[in-house]
Amino acid sequence: MMAFPSHTHNICYVFAMTQSAPLSNAQLNRRILSVIIFTFFCYLSVGLPLAVLPGFVHNQLGYSSFMAGLIISIQYFATLLSRPQSGTLADKLGPKRVVMLGLVCCGLSGLLTIAAALAASLPALSLGLLALGRVFLGIGESFTSTGSTLWGMNIVGPLQTARVISWNGVATYFAMALGAPLGVLLNTFFGLHGFAALVLLMGALGFVLASGKPAVSVALGERIPFHKVFSRVWFYGLGLGLGTIGFGVIATFITLYYASRDWQGAAFALTLFSLGFVVIRLLLGRFITQHGGLKVSLISFMVECIGLLIIWQADAIWLVDFGAFLTGAGFSLVFPALGVEAVKQVEQQNQGSALGTYSAFLDMGLGLTGPVAGLLIGRWGIASVYLAAALMVVGAMALILRLMQQQRILAKSH
């Protein structure tokens, strides 16, 4: 059994700005990255199987394309269902322990995938092992990502929440972008064992590194029930979920959109989306602290909506590429901007639960995008999904305007 350090050995970071000089940007980033690296390990493990497992299930095990897609989706559902629990556990046990649990789950998913590869001659057994591995990877994703974010928030203080969430997003998308092609490369040379062994290694290495880092103390105070946390953050989460649909329809359907018009270069559109996302996160993330999460999210939704409408009406490849770039740039700050506002709704001892609950709406948005968009395509064609996504983003803008109005009313009453 892997033993976790006792709370009596936890080293509590103290951030009293009156007693020490303010940290420089470089120092803040180093502290944040020292724990956000575990998010990178986690999402590298998530990205590695994406382009490989469907082919293994369909071509080697002989199952249908539907079953191949279902094996991938199992992870998303496991992530969605475990998000709230990950935050609650982080509040109770401390984020370090939750990160270590998440990395163990990621490592187990690699081990189960290796076992599935060895059992390929028994398709039912192999499929079952893969499915169990996907469940562990989904739990590992929610635990590691939520725990790393909360850990970062604790070691640099609440004023840097937006910076922590932004760096967490950069680590996520960079790892995913690296993981998918690396998984294909390893599978080509070593088979399923190749990427699965790397997933196992990432989990083990991450666990060792995390165990050697000082923990942060668990905040004392009354922990409110989950339903009360949910009631305080669900409006922000709903805005996130609606905005996530724009990302989902590009990631899932842009290849089909290009194919429907006999165009080449769908991969470049995805690259431009990612470029817009990362560039805005790195250059403009400080705007959240300077101008507030609601204002930044409103402008972000406007940019995302314009990008989606351009794709909907595009009659040339360069317009689709431009629309994809704008959509990525717009979506970039949505998660940290609304996340900052969401965690403000609860006391520190409940912030992990709030963050996990809020993040679950992103998983839900991605999970619903595929089947709903599939129905739209069958009835109105591939372009309709980009109009529908733009309308969802308009709905998110309406939610933000409502929240801004409530803030003004509350400010006047005080």
Side-chain angles (χ1 to χ4, degrees):
M1 293 293 289
M2 293 179 177
F4 293 99
S6 165
H7 276 301
T8 58
H9 295 102
N10 286 357
I11 299 175
C12 177
Y13 289 93
V14 179
F15 299 97
M17 302 305 283
T18 56
Q19 297 177 8
S20 60
L23 297 173
S24 67
N25 281 332
Q27 289 172 319
L28 284 169
N29 289 336
R30 278 197 297 271
R31 284 194 175 184
I32 293 168
L33 292 173
S34 71
V35 293
I36 293 302
I37 190 175
F38 303 120
T39 293
F40 177 83
F41 286 173
C42 165
Y43 279 98
L44 185 64
S45 301
V46 170
L48 285 166
L50 282 180
V52 177
L53 284 189
F56 176 77
V57 172
H58 183 57
N59 299 323
Q60 291 186 246
L61 299 185
Y63 288 96
S64 66
S65 297
F66 171 78
M67 187 61 72
L70 184 61
I71 283 294
I72 295 296
S73 297
I74 284 173
Q75 180 210 317
Y76 298 139
F77 290 117
T79 302
L80 173 62
L81 293 175
S82 58
R83 283 279 192 190
Q85 285 75 21
S86 69
T88 301
L89 281 175
D91 287 331
K92 292 179 179 178
L93 305 177
K96 173 180 173 176
R97 291 186 176 190
V98 170
V99 167
M100 292 170 70
L101 279 170
L103 291 165
V104 168
C105 288
C106 289
L108 283 173
S109 75
L111 188 61
L112 286 164
T113 305
I114 292 173
L118 295 173
S121 59
L122 301 170
L125 175 60
S126 182
L127 188 72
L129 289 168
L130 280 180
L132 185 58
R134 298 297 290 170
V135 170
F136 272 111
L137 188 57
I139 296 171
E141 177 188 346
S142 60
F143 277 37
T144 307
S145 179
T146 302
S148 294
T149 305
L150 193 64
W151 200 351
M153 287 163 55
N154 275 274
I155 64 174
V156 294
L159 293 179
Q160 301 299 329
T161 296
R163 186 191 296 255
V164 175
I165 297 177
S166 292
W167 273 115
N168 195 66
V170 171
T172 297
Y173 285 90
F174 180 63
M176 292 280 283
L178 179 63
L182 182 58
V184 172
L185 184 67
L186 291 171
N187 183 65
T188 301
F189 286 99
F190 305 106
L192 211 63
H193 308 79
F195 82 80
L198 183 55
V199 171
L200 176 58
L201 178 63
M202 288 290 99
L205 177 62
F207 182 90
V208 171
L209 292 176
S211 65
K213 290 186 176 295
V216 291
S217 62
V218 179
L220 301 176
E222 181 186 2
R223 290 185 171 82
I224 59 177
F226 171 75
H227 71 273
K228 290 188 177 180
V229 174
F230 181 87
S231 69
R232 295 184 187 184
V233 305
W234 77 269
F235 219 63
Y236 302 92
L238 182 58
L240 171 66
L242 292 172
T244 300
I245 292 172
F247 161 60
V249 295
I250 288 183
T252 308
F253 296 105
I254 197 69
T255 303
L256 292 178
Y257 185 74
Y258 270 68
S260 71
R261 300 190 174 196
D262 294 322
W263 289 348
Q264 301 296 319
F268 185 61
L270 287 170
T271 299
L272 286 174
F273 174 91
S274 300
L275 182 65
F277 182 96
V278 172
V279 166
I280 294 300
R281 273 272 174 113
L282 292 176
L283 295 183
L284 304 182
R286 66 184 185 281
F287 281 16
I288 298 171
T289 303
Q290 293 173 358
H291 303 289
L294 293 183
K295 288 181 181 178
V296 170
S297 63
L298 182 62
I299 295 171
S300 297
F301 282 135
M302 289 178 181
V303 175
E304 182 183 358
C305 185
I306 292 170
L308 290 165
L309 290 174
I310 288 174
I311 296 174
W312 170 53
Q313 285 292 286
D315 57 4
I317 293 176
W318 73 268
L319 279 172
V320 178
D321 290 342
F322 180 56
F325 179 84
L326 283 182
T327 305
F331 180 62
S332 178
L333 295 181
V334 168
F335 187 94
L338 289 179
V340 166
E341 299 298 327
V343 297
K344 283 181 184 176
Q345 308 308 310
V346 297
E347 299 298 324
Q348 185 179 0
Q349 64 268 19
N350 296 293
Q351 284 186 345
S353 182
L355 185 63
T357 303
Y358 167 75
S359 300
F361 283 87
L362 183 145
D363 303 312
M364 184 172 66
L366 289 176
L368 292 175
T369 295
V372 173
L375 293 173
L376 291 176
I377 291 171
R379 188 172 181 86
W380 287 294
I382 187 72
S384 66
V385 300
Y386 297 98
L387 173 60
L391 293 176
M392 293 299 99
V393 176
V394 170
M397 290 163 58
L399 288 178
I400 301 306
L401 290 171
R402 174 66 174 164
L403 287 169
M404 292 173 75
Q405 181 185 37
Q406 289 178 347
Q407 274 195 357
R408 286 194 294 269
I409 293 173
L410 192 62
K412 287 180 181 179
S413 66
H414 285 79

